[in-house]
Amino acid sequence: MLKQSLIIASILSLSTLEAFAADKWYRGNTHVHTTLSGHADTTPDEVAKWYLDRDYNFLILSEHNKFIDPATVALPEGRREDFILIPGEEVTDDSHVVHTTAMNIKDLVPWNTDETRTTTESIQYHVDGTHTHGGTTILNHPNFEYAIRASDILGTHNLYMFELYNGHNDVHNFGNEDHVSTEVMWDDLLSHGMKIYGVSSDDAHQFQTMSPNMSNPGRGWVMVKSDTLTPEAMTKAMLDGDFYASSGVFLKTIESSSNKYSVSVDPIKTADALKSTVLRGKYIKDSKEGFRIEYIGPEGKILKTSTGNNASYDVEESMLYLRVKVTFTRAISEGGFEEYYAWGQPVFNPAP
Ligand SMILES: [Zn+2]
Ligand SMILES: [Zn+2]
């Protein structure tokens, strides 16, 4: 019996190893602007090259109500093969400040700024229009002008992703005295039973001058786990929650099953990423340097906190969801601290 169990165990671990060996991490940015918007400073070709030159694997040129066909973007001859452009658009309704990334669309998604609609109806119009054009919606920067509340999102259907972090310097990801952070919003949505994943993006407009007070690239990205790099595979993996969102922290592993959620950080890659001079950390007056791993459940309740480079949590059957957040804190020369994050996607129980 023991022998049989060992054989089964070794077969299982072999197949698990094979499954992991087939998967790779792909770094991507789902949101960026170009000269075609009229208010950004770099051409589509040069914007794509910026990401190509920095180890990204995919990029969506998401222009306001314009479709940039990747076939029209010139990339350098002899470039590395593991970089793709995913066709997209930022569907933009400025009357409600509803902006959404239409990911992996076939062609232009129409937009509409009907002021008689509610914000919820406007979001739904984007989701449905994007779906008709073969794509998937990411709801962008809800805290830009504090335009979108959790209650506006709760009334929608078939929306599975939103920007938890957006690198634009005018976007208030962390909220203020009167408005909740996008992370509090996320726990609100998840606690209401919504299946929605958190994305991090640049929303960069300025590539010619670099400063924390400008809208620069390299501040927010996703790491997507997949066995192939295609627009379809990236979109599907994100819809399956096989990714994490980052504002500066890299992970070595992140694995979840129905009974365990484990994570380990990558201190070397994180230290390297944090050499960037354009990142925008969250200012904290009093803290402690280093990594902190938090497991978070319904209503945003912190269930376990660990310091160090790895942690795991046993998922309980009764939990509606469980997510993990990794924080890296460092002291800054002006005094105080700043925090950078990697956000793992929630696991749902029972699996939806
Ligand atoms: Zn926008
Ligand atoms: Zn944008």
Side-chain angles (χ1 to χ4, degrees):
M1 186 65 188
L2 179 65
K3 197 176 167 194
Q4 199 179 17
S5 308
L6 282 173
I7 292 167
I8 291 169
S10 60
I11 291 169
L12 276 176
S13 62
L14 185 65
S15 61
T16 310
L17 280 173
E18 279 170 353
F20 287 128
D23 281 333
K24 277 189 177 166
W25 286 107
Y26 294 107
R27 185 182 186 186
N29 175 32
T30 54
H31 188 173
V32 74
H33 294 277
T34 73
T35 42
L36 296 190
S37 68
H39 58 261
D41 66 10
T42 300
T43 63
D45 296 3
E46 288 299 315
V47 167
K49 188 173 179 301
W50 191 95
Y51 289 92
L52 171 69
D53 288 345
R54 284 162 183 81
D55 287 339
Y56 281 74
N57 302 105
F58 70 91
L59 177 68
I60 302 178
L61 295 166
S62 53
E63 209 48 273
H64 294 291
N65 297 335
K66 286 195 175 85
F67 176 63
I68 302 179
D69 185 343
T72 64
V73 179
L75 290 169
E77 294 271 325
R79 66 179 183 88
R80 65 184 165 87
E81 294 290 314
D82 58 346
F83 178 79
I84 60 168
L85 293 172
I86 298 179
E89 172 189 341
E90 185 172 21
V91 187
T92 306
D93 167 1
D94 273 329
S95 67
H96 296 87
V97 202
V98 169
H99 296 193
T100 60
T101 294
M103 180 175 187
N104 199 22
I105 43 175
K106 292 194 205 88
D107 49 16
L108 184 76
V109 177
W111 66 97
N112 192 304
T113 52
D114 179 352
E115 288 178 21
T116 63
R117 272 198 201 111
T118 63
T119 298
T120 304
E121 286 165 346
S122 175
I123 299 170
Q124 195 61 53
Y125 182 82
H126 288 213
V127 171
D128 296 343
T130 298
H131 184 73
T132 303
H133 289 261
T136 297
T137 293
I138 303 168
L139 175 65
N140 292 344
H141 49 60
N143 273 358
F144 176 52
E145 299 183 12
Y146 295 111
I148 299 174
R149 297 159 302 172
S151 56
D152 298 318
I153 303 171
L154 275 173
T156 63
H157 52 269
N158 300 328
L159 174 68
Y160 303 108
M161 292 189 273
F162 88 116
E163 281 184 346
L164 181 61
Y165 184 87
N166 174 297
H168 195 291
N169 48 307
D170 287 337
V171 171
H172 311 279
N173 301 295
F174 307 121
N176 64 10
E177 320 70 69
D178 300 319
H179 300 91
V180 298
S181 68
T182 48
E183 195 168 343
V184 167
M185 224 181 259
W186 196 21
D187 283 309
D188 194 355
L189 300 174
L190 295 168
S191 300
H192 278 87
M194 192 170 178
K195 182 188 172 188
I196 187 158
Y197 298 123
V199 174
S200 179
S201 83
D202 280 342
D203 196 3
H205 292 64
Q206 292 156 317
F207 289 73
Q208 305 304 323
T209 312
M210 296 291 175
S211 149
N213 298 320
M214 299 192 86
S215 165
N216 292 150
R219 288 185 186 142
W221 62 89
V222 287
M223 295 297 292
V224 180
K225 195 153 107 173
S226 174
D227 57 358
T228 44
L229 176 64
T230 62
E232 292 69 32
M234 289 304 100
T235 311
K236 182 182 183 300
M238 287 181 73
L239 278 173
D240 288 344
D242 289 335
F243 72 106
Y244 68 87
S246 177
S247 69
V249 173
F250 276 100
L251 302 179
K252 211 171 255 173
T253 58
I254 177 161
E255 281 154 24
S256 57
S257 66
S258 57
N259 57 12
K260 206 173 200 69
Y261 199 161
S262 323
V263 66
S264 65
V265 305
D266 191 327
I268 294 169
K269 277 187 87 171
T270 301
D272 201 42
L274 293 180
K275 285 179 193 157
S276 162
T277 54
V278 303
L279 292 177
R280 290 168 63 84
K282 183 184 179 191
Y283 175 77
I284 304 285
K285 201 166 169 226
D286 294 308
S287 194
K288 225 173 112 186
E289 288 196 294
F291 285 102
R292 186 171 80 245
I293 301 174
E294 290 163 313
Y295 284 92
I296 298 164
E299 314 298 335
K301 194 170 171 216
I302 298 171
L303 305 167
K304 179 183 173 181
T305 302
S306 310
T307 51
N309 291 1
N310 52 69
S312 70
Y313 193 92
D314 292 327
V315 183
E316 293 145 32
E317 266 180 39
S318 56
M319 292 179 118
L320 183 60
Y321 73 92
L322 175 74
R323 65 183 183 88
V324 66
K325 175 185 182 184
V326 180
T327 302
F328 180 76
T329 308
R330 67 178 176 187
I332 51 174
S333 53
E334 308 86 76
F337 297 83
E338 58 188 13
E339 292 186 338
Y340 295 92
Y341 308 104
W343 293 272
Q345 302 307 329
V347 291
F348 300 94
N349 216 350

